[in-house]
């Protein structure tokens, strides 16, 4: 078990003009579950692979525990990795797959056997120990890949999109299993995914990456309720946060011809981007004029797609509530996020009522 | 579709009847009118497929079955050198061949030659493939250079080999001279043998290289990476995690290389020993040619080639029986 420190780390591939990962700083505490999330090409896998030692570090330092590992062989970094396509050795049985890393580290035989047996028990792989990977299902293979990591008892687990090859239902089950296992072992974990739901449900802390840079770091709900930019706002949460073009004039927020019925905000005037979560909008007697386009039924709730002032908008409604083609919507002042239109960064404007929205998650 | 293109024939009966020409009785009893798979080509005339197959069948028959039958038949006869007649002698030809000291000596050399050529060409091919696989900059130029030798025809390779080992201009002879050894390829038995092995290996390495390289590239990158994390030592890692995945390729190449060493080295050997004094290493195939076409002993030569056929058959069977069990196909 160990902490991981990533300081000023960047990566430029040979021949590439721009850096794939630039200037990343991240402190991972011992036992923490960190999820790196972002769209494809954001550099999350590259960052993980640099920690693993599979990718050379162009600049900066990675330390695992108190040791700088930049120049240390992957096998000596005391990490175990779980790959997206499992990366099991096809010619070895499940047992041999799990024992391989230990055998190469000259672990005594009885100890290997004990650890493999323990991992097999934990992951319910007992009946399959003598099978070859090709005789296993996708979920079982993924469990073997986890078992291979677990038996090593490493300082850190590195997960590279381990669930993307599984079907949706299995993904949910395995997600729970990974979380349970990590809680139980208390091993520091770094987990890469492009699935924001996976990221939200697994992470102690989320790291949202975009274009090789960290966009925001924080606990899942903190990020959900306080996105630092329009990118994070639209990436985290499903459905994505509504982003609307609006203006602030004299402290009043106006959307097209409608003025939002909220307390005045100070410190900015001119065009802004408004962010409103679908669940924060409620039908009211007065407010934003909304025209319904179509409805998605999810069972527990329904997503109503439509537009306000020519801009698309989604809101979630209780299925019991009546639907109308035209509605008026209101939103609590504290639930309105304001972003700079050009930079996309969050504008934390002076507003007394904002405090309410900041309830610690 | 066939119904549309042939509206005149009765569409219901035809496809079913013709399908019976293609399918075995075991699968045929399924209800006939079931629609044929879209990809299968349907022929209207039952003879048409045979006409299409004919060239291939003729080639196989003329160049394979007929000579094989001829060889087996003539191995039981002693033929008049001028072709006037043949006498049935039973298994005498076999007894003569197997009993002869010369034949045994040549068989011994052939075994040694085959083992060395196979081992070195496989080993070097693998070594080059592993090294080339790691090259990132200039990889295609590097690979082309390694593969290029394969494009050289065997007699040309033999000729080039002869020049390299030539008594007057051969650089290898000069090289041996620096170490105080007077190399006499074509005169000294073992000098000729070494040159023969060297040239045969050199000719075969690119072939093995291509297959090993593609085999290596077929191994998923993530499996290699998992091995990098699991095993520190490069050689141990290669031996335990990569090599077993190359086993199917290696097994295939082993059979191909043994066949190569036994048969396809003929041209190399021919160029090297043809006009040389007698005491030179030969392989069994070359002896078949020598006895049959130079010594005009068709019967004896035929018996030898049948023996050779049996040897290859047995070797291949052994390989499939014993080795293939250990081969893991992904």
């Amino acid at each position: 078990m160990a902490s991981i420190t990533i300081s000023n780390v960047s990566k430029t591939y040979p021949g590439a003009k721009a850096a794939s990962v630039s200037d990343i700083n991240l402190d991972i505490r011992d036992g923490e579950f960190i999820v790196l999330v972002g769209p494809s090409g954001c550099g999350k896998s590259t960052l993980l692979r640099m920690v693993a030692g599979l990718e050379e570090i162009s600049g900066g330092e990675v330390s695992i525990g108190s040791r700088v590992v930049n120049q240390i062989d992957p096998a000596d970094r005391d990490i175990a990795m779980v790959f997206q396509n499992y990366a099991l050795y096809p010619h070895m049985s499940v047992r041999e797959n799990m024992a391989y890393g230990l055998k190469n580290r000259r672990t005594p035989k009885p100890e290997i056997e004990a650890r493999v047996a323990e991992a097999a028990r934990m992951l319910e792989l007992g009946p399959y120990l003598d099978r070859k990977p090709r005789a296993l299902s996708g979920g079982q293979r993924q469990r073997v890949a986890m078992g291979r990591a677990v038996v090593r008892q490493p300082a850190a687990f590195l997960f590279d999109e381990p669930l993307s090859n599984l079907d949706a239902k299995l993904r949910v089950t395995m997600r729970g299993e990974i979380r349970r296992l990590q809680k139980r072992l208390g091993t520091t974990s770094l987990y890469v995914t492009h699935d924001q739901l996976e990221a939200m449900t697994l992470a102690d802390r989320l790291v949202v990456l975009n274009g090789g840079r960290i966009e925001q770091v924080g606990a899942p709900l903190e990020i959900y309720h306080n996105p630092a930019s329009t990118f994070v706002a639209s990436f985290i949460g499903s459905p994505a946060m509504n982003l609307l073009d609006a203006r602030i004039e004299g402290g009043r927020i106006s959307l097209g011809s409608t003025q939002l019925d909220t307390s005045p905000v100070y410190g900015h005037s001119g065009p802004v981007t408004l962010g409103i979560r679908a669940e924060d909008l409620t039908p009211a007697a007065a407010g934003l004029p909304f025209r319904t386009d179509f409805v998605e039924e999810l069972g527990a709730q329904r997503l109503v797609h439509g537009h306000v002032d020519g801009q698309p908008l989604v809101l979630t409604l209780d299925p019991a509530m009546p639907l109308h083609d035209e509605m008026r919507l209101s939103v609590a002042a504290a639930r309105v996020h304001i972003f700079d239109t050009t930079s996309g960064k969050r504008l934390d404007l002076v507003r007394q009522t904002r405090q309410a929205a900041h309830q610690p998650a | 579709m066939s119904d549309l293109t042939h509206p005149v024939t009765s569409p219901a009966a035809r496809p079913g009847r013709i399908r019976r020409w293609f399918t075995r009785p075991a699968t045929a009893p399924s209800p006939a009118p079931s629609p044929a798979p879209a990809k299968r080509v349907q022929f209207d005339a039952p003879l048409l497929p045979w006409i299409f197959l004919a060239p291939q069948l003729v080639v196989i028959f003329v160049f394979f079955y007929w000579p094989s039958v001829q060889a087996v038949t003539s191995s039981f006869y002693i033929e008049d050198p001028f072709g006037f007649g043949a006498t049935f002698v039973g298994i005498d030809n076999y007894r003569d061949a197997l009993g002869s000291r010369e034949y045994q000596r040549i068989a011994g050399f052939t075994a040694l030659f085959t083992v060395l050529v196979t081992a070195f060409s496989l080993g070097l091919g693998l070594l080059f493939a592993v090294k080339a696989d790691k090259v990132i900059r200039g990889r295609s130029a590097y690979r082309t250079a390694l593969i290029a030798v394969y494009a050289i025809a065997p007699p040309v390779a033999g000729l080039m080999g002869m020049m390299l080992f030539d008594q007057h201009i051969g650089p290898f002879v000069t090289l041996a001279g620096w170490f105080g050894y007077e190399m006499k390829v074509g005169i000294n038995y073992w000098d000729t043998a070494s040159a023969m092995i060297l040239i045969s290996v050199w000719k075969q390495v690119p072939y093995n290289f291509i297959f090993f390289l593609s085999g290596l590239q077929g191994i998923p990158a993530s499996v290699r990476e998992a091995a990098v994390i699991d095993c520190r030592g490069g050689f141990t890692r290669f031996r335990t995690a990569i090599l077993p995945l190359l086993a199917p390729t290696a097994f295939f190449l082993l059979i191909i290389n043994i066949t190569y060493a036994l048969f396809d080295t003929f041209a190399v050997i021919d160029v090297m020993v043809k006009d040389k004094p007698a005491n030179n290493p030969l392989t069994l195939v070359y002896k078949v040619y020598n006895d049959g076409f130079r010594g005009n002993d068709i019967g004896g030569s035929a018996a030898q080639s049948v023996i050779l056929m049996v040897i290859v058959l047995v070797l291949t069977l052994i390989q499939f029986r014993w080795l293939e069990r250990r081969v893991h196909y992904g």
Side-chain angles (χ1 to χ4, degrees):
Chain A
M1 285 169 234
S3 56
I4 300 175
T5 311
I6 298 169
S7 36
N8 305 320
V9 164
S10 58
K11 171 78 187 177
T12 310
Y13 283 98
K17 284 198 187 76
S20 304
V21 166
S22 36
D23 205 28
I24 300 279
N25 284 291
L26 191 61
D27 277 313
I28 302 170
R29 290 186 290 272
D30 184 11
E32 206 174 10
F33 200 120
I34 293 281
V35 176
L36 303 177
V37 66
S40 60
C42 72
K44 55 193 190 301
S45 275
T46 309
L47 184 58
L48 184 84
R49 291 165 59 81
M50 283 195 283
V51 175
L54 299 172
E55 215 65 76
E56 222 169 286
I57 300 167
S58 313
E61 258 182 17
V62 172
S63 324
I64 299 174
S66 52
R67 192 169 58 140
V68 177
V69 295
N70 283 36
Q71 299 303 325
I72 290 177
D73 195 273
D76 295 333
R77 290 192 181 191
D78 200 14
I79 45 104
M81 188 151 166
V82 180
F83 293 85
Q84 176 177 1
N85 53 3
Y86 326 129
L88 300 177
Y89 308 116
H91 58 293
M92 297 185 198
S93 67
V94 169
R95 186 195 307 278
E96 288 165 333
N97 259 291
M98 292 203 268
Y100 183 66
L102 295 174
K103 222 160 70 184
N104 289 321
R105 287 177 175 78
R106 301 183 197 290
T107 315
K109 252 210 168 111
E111 162 123 35
I112 296 181
E113 272 167 38
R115 287 204 207 171
V116 169
E118 167 67 10
R121 199 185 52 74
M122 227 173 352
L123 294 159
E124 291 162 19
L125 284 169
Y128 312 110
L129 277 177
D130 293 311
R131 284 208 200 163
K132 293 274 170 66
R134 66 167 166 232
L136 301 177
S137 70
Q140 289 165 342
R141 284 181 205 189
Q142 192 49 268
R143 286 218 292 277
V144 176
M146 304 232 311
R148 194 166 63 177
V150 166
V151 293
R152 290 263 324 279
Q153 302 180 355
F157 289 140
L158 306 178
F159 297 92
D160 190 2
E161 308 220 13
L163 305 182
S164 331
N165 276 14
L166 302 177
D167 62 65
K169 200 173 163 198
L170 203 51
R171 209 177 299 164
V172 175
T173 327
M174 287 301 290
R175 200 166 72 197
E177 250 178 84
I178 289 182
R179 190 62 177 135
R180 190 158 43 237
L181 202 70
Q182 198 270 345
K183 272 251 156 74
R184 183 168 158 187
L185 300 170
T187 310
T188 315
S189 299
L190 195 55
Y191 187 108
V192 161
T193 182
H194 62 265
D195 181 343
Q196 59 88 23
L197 187 65
E198 215 170 285
M200 292 279 289
T201 47
L202 280 171
D204 288 329
R205 273 196 301 159
L206 267 178
V207 178
V208 185
L209 288 158
N210 183 25
R213 291 173 189 281
I214 291 184
E215 199 82 16
Q216 192 173 7
V217 182
L221 283 184
E222 196 180 311
I223 288 184
Y224 186 81
H225 290 304
N226 251 332
S229 63
T230 48
F231 173 80
V232 178
S234 60
F235 195 78
I236 299 293
S238 175
M241 184 186 275
N242 295 301
L243 294 173
L244 306 162
D245 291 328
R247 293 187 69 82
I248 299 184
E249 301 288 356
R252 312 298 303 185
I253 306 168
S254 56
L255 198 78
S257 52
T258 325
Q259 213 166 58
L260 239 65
D261 182 25
T262 56
S263 47
V265 288
Y266 302 105
H268 188 91
S269 65
V272 290
T273 303
L274 277 192
I276 306 169
R277 291 266 177 221
E279 67 268 27
D280 292 336
L281 288 159
T282 42
L288 297 169
F290 177 81
R291 266 199 86 84
T292 308
D293 289 335
F294 64 95
V295 178
E296 287 180 304
E297 299 287 0
L298 300 182
Q301 50 173 272
R302 60 166 54 122
L303 298 183
V304 185
H305 294 256
H307 53 267
V308 163
D309 186 36
Q311 303 186 59
L313 189 79
V314 186
L315 69 146
T316 51
L317 282 183
D318 193 300
M321 299 243 287
L323 267 177
H324 303 287
D325 274 357
E326 298 209 20
M327 287 186 274
R328 293 263 167 186
L329 302 176
S330 82
V331 55
R335 299 291 190 167
V336 176
H337 309 264
I338 301 167
F339 302 97
D340 188 286
T341 305
T342 41
S343 71
K345 294 279 174 239
R346 182 184 194 85
L347 294 173
D348 272 314
L349 302 178
V350 185
R351 193 161 57 173
Q352 280 74 29
T353 45
R354 268 200 74 76
Q355 301 309 323
H358 274 258
Q359 290 301 329
Chain B
M1 284 310 288
S2 72
D3 294 354
L4 287 177
T5 46
H6 304 284
V8 192
T9 55
S10 77
R14 274 208 171 264
R17 185 167 67 83
I18 286 152
R19 212 174 305 121
R20 247 168 271 140
W21 279 82
F22 291 96
T23 47
R24 291 166 170 277
T27 54
S30 61
S34 70
K39 273 183 191 166
R40 179 180 282 169
V41 180
Q42 301 270 338
F43 295 105
D44 275 325
L47 264 180
L48 199 60
W50 293 103
I51 293 171
F52 287 151
L53 281 175
Q56 179 73 38
L57 290 175
V58 167
V59 166
I60 291 177
F61 181 77
V62 169
F63 291 101
F64 187 74
Y65 286 113
W66 191 51
S68 304
V69 171
Q70 281 281 302
V72 175
T73 322
S74 40
S75 71
F76 295 108
Y77 288 85
I78 284 183
E79 209 159 317
D80 179 280
F82 303 103
F84 291 128
T87 321
F88 183 77
V89 292
I91 59 163
D92 274 8
N93 282 329
Y94 290 94
R95 200 179 295 148
D96 282 354
L98 292 173
S100 132
R101 291 298 301 270
E102 195 209 355
Y103 188 82
Q104 288 163 9
R105 205 166 54 90
I106 290 178
F109 175 75
T110 308
L112 178 73
F113 178 81
T114 306
V115 168
L116 289 179
V117 169
T118 305
F120 278 115
S121 12
L122 281 177
L124 288 174
L126 181 60
L127 182 72
F128 290 152
V130 169
K131 294 297 174 195
D133 192 39
K134 288 181 183 153
V135 174
I136 294 164
R137 207 163 296 179
R139 75 184 341 172
S140 65
Y142 190 58
R143 283 176 192 170
T144 311
L146 274 165
I147 292 168
V149 187
Y150 187 59
I152 300 170
V156 180
L159 205 64
M160 287 168 78
M162 275 317 288
M163 287 178 182
L164 291 174
F165 287 100
D166 187 87
Q167 218 54 75
H168 306 290
I169 56 162
F172 280 99
V173 177
T174 319
L175 185 75
W178 290 347
F179 293 94
Y181 183 75
E182 197 187 344
M183 200 183 218
K184 290 178 185 161
V185 173
I187 296 166
N188 182 309
Y189 185 89
W190 288 110
D191 283 358
T192 318
S194 333
M196 224 178 217
I197 290 169
L198 198 76
I199 295 166
S200 304
V201 168
W202 170 66
K203 182 77 188 72
Q204 185 66 1
V205 163
Y207 185 85
N208 296 341
F209 168 79
I210 296 169
F211 277 89
F212 275 130
L213 187 65
S214 70
L216 279 172
Q217 293 182 340
I219 297 175
S222 60
V223 170
R224 289 168 185 240
E225 287 171 353
V228 165
I229 291 174
D230 270 349
C231 182
R232 190 183 198 291
F235 181 71
T236 316
R237 192 191 314 145
F238 179 76
R239 192 175 53 80
T240 53
I242 308 296
L243 200 57
L245 300 181
L246 279 181
T249 313
F251 177 68
F252 162 77
L253 284 178
L254 181 68
I255 294 175
I256 294 292
N257 276 258
I258 288 177
T259 321
Y260 164 80
L262 279 175
F263 296 104
D264 299 346
T265 48
F266 178 86
V268 172
I269 297 168
D270 187 51
V271 173
M272 292 193 77
V273 303
K274 194 157 53 187
D275 335 310
K276 302 297 183 304
N279 182 31
N280 272 321
L282 299 179
T283 61
L284 287 175
V285 161
Y286 202 76
K287 187 168 160 51
V288 168
Y289 162 78
N290 249 359
D291 289 0
F293 294 93
R294 296 196 156 174
N296 272 349
D297 177 9
I298 301 294
S301 161
Q304 288 177 27
S305 59
V306 171
I307 294 172
L308 211 49
M309 209 152 79
V310 171
I311 290 175
V312 173
L313 194 72
V314 168
L315 272 181
T316 311
L317 280 180
I318 289 175
Q319 285 167 354
F320 271 101
R321 183 104 182 74
W322 297 104
L323 256 182
E324 205 193 13
R325 279 193 194 166
R326 298 159 158 268
V327 172
H328 165 85
Y329 292 98

